[in-house]
Amino acid sequence: EVQLVESGGGLVQPGGSLRLSCVASGFTFSSHWMSWVRQAPGKGLEWVANIKPDGSEKYFMDSVKGRLTISRDNAKNSVYLQINSLRVEDTAVYYCARDMGVFDIWGQGTMVTVSS
Amino acid sequence: VVMTQTPVSLSVTPGQPASISCKSSQSLLYSVGKTALSWYLQRPGQSPQLLIYEVSNRFSGVPDRFSGSGSGTDFTLKISRVEPEDVGVYYCMQTVDLPRTFGQGTKVEIK
């Protein structure tokens, strides 16, 4: 079965850090770009970052540049999103998605709550 | 690239048609015959799912009551006969340029 499963979300204080993980199965992970998309409570979808199949290129939404790191381990069929200096406005469900110029596979999402 | 969807919400009687507009701030044409515009449905409590890619191509398993059209900067998603399971928020998205951007969403409800 083709699927993506995210984990690593939780409640974090402002200024803290989190590392989100997304494990892929059912397709050749190492051949595909991967993206992270987030959705604040009651809001729309917002693309955050993506990474090339070999990890050599990474792109970020302007407002998160410098605070986010995206990486992948093709041997583990996994993509990661490290979020540093967390802010209240980072509170959202974070989805990973296979990025083929369209997002044809989505995970179920992992909730990140930033609050004191 | 700014994506603007209208209307914000839509209330439809089952069996009736529905139409959602999406306009982009620049052309989404990236190659001959290729336009980087896709549509997604997010049902309540679920992850988004791909409906339409490259303006008018239905993704695997998507019912043929869904159709997409348009070119350049103006696009439309049509549901020929709305069914109860079509309830949710519909998003258009462009991938012609980074950052990838979504429309603000159109909430479809059943009357």
Side-chain angles (χ1 to χ4, degrees):
Chain A
E1 181 187 4
V2 174
Q3 66 175 354
L4 297 169
V5 179
E6 301 95 334
S7 61
L11 175 62
V12 187
Q13 291 189 337
S17 297
L18 267 182
R19 187 196 197 208
L20 309 181
S21 300
C22 169
V23 179
S25 58
F27 64 95
T28 307
F29 177 77
S30 60
S31 298
H32 295 280
W33 285 78
M34 296 296 295
S35 271
W36 286 93
V37 176
R38 70 183 182 183
Q39 185 172 37
K43 302 296 184 182
L45 302 171
E46 182 177 54
W47 176 83
V48 172
N50 66 357
I51 184 168
K52 195 175 180 180
D54 64 1
S56 63
E57 293 181 33
K58 305 169 186 181
Y59 300 95
F60 299 91
M61 181 174 67
D62 281 348
S63 63
V64 301
K65 280 180 184 175
R67 295 196 298 118
L68 267 62
T69 303
I70 188 171
S71 61
R72 64 192 296 160
D73 184 338
N74 287 340
K76 294 183 179 180
N77 287 345
S78 295
V79 60
Y80 308 100
L81 187 70
Q82 173 82 28
I83 317 174
N84 300 320
S85 303
L86 277 157
R87 304 169 180 172
V88 170
E89 55 265 33
D90 293 320
T91 295
V93 175
Y94 286 73
Y95 298 99
C96 66
R98 187 170 76 170
D99 186 344
M100 298 182 64
V102 293
F103 297 165
D104 62 335
I105 306 170
W106 295 71
Q108 85 289 352
T110 187
M111 182 71 204
V112 172
T113 303
V114 185
S115 174
S116 55
Chain B
V1 181
V2 177
M3 305 296 287
T4 304
Q5 279 182 242
T6 54
V8 172
S9 64
L10 207 47
S11 185
V12 187
T13 301
Q16 293 301 300
S19 180
I20 299 170
S21 171
C22 175
K23 296 184 188 296
S24 58
S25 60
Q26 68 184 62
S27 175
L28 303 186
L29 182 69
Y30 68 94
S31 180
V32 176
K34 301 284 190 180
T35 301
L37 186 281
S38 50
W39 290 94
Y40 302 82
L41 165 60
Q42 186 174 31
R43 295 189 171 104
Q46 295 187 17
S47 303
Q49 60 183 89
L50 175 63
L51 293 176
I52 301 283
Y53 63 95
E54 288 179 6
V55 179
S56 59
N57 296 285
R58 274 188 304 277
F59 187 53
S60 175
V62 174
D64 61 6
R65 64 179 181 275
F66 290 93
S67 64
S69 63
S71 63
T73 61
D74 288 353
F75 306 95
T76 302
L77 175 71
K78 291 183 179 177
I79 311 173
S80 59
R81 297 172 307 279
V82 172
E83 299 197 4
E85 61 263 33
D86 300 336
V87 164
V89 181
Y90 291 77
Y91 296 93
C92 58
M93 182 185 78
Q94 68 79 22
T95 50
V96 76
D97 197 8
L98 287 168
R100 300 182 175 334
T101 46
F102 293 89
Q104 75 272 33
T106 296
K107 186 174 184 178
V108 172
E109 300 174 321
I110 297 294
K111 278 185 184 175

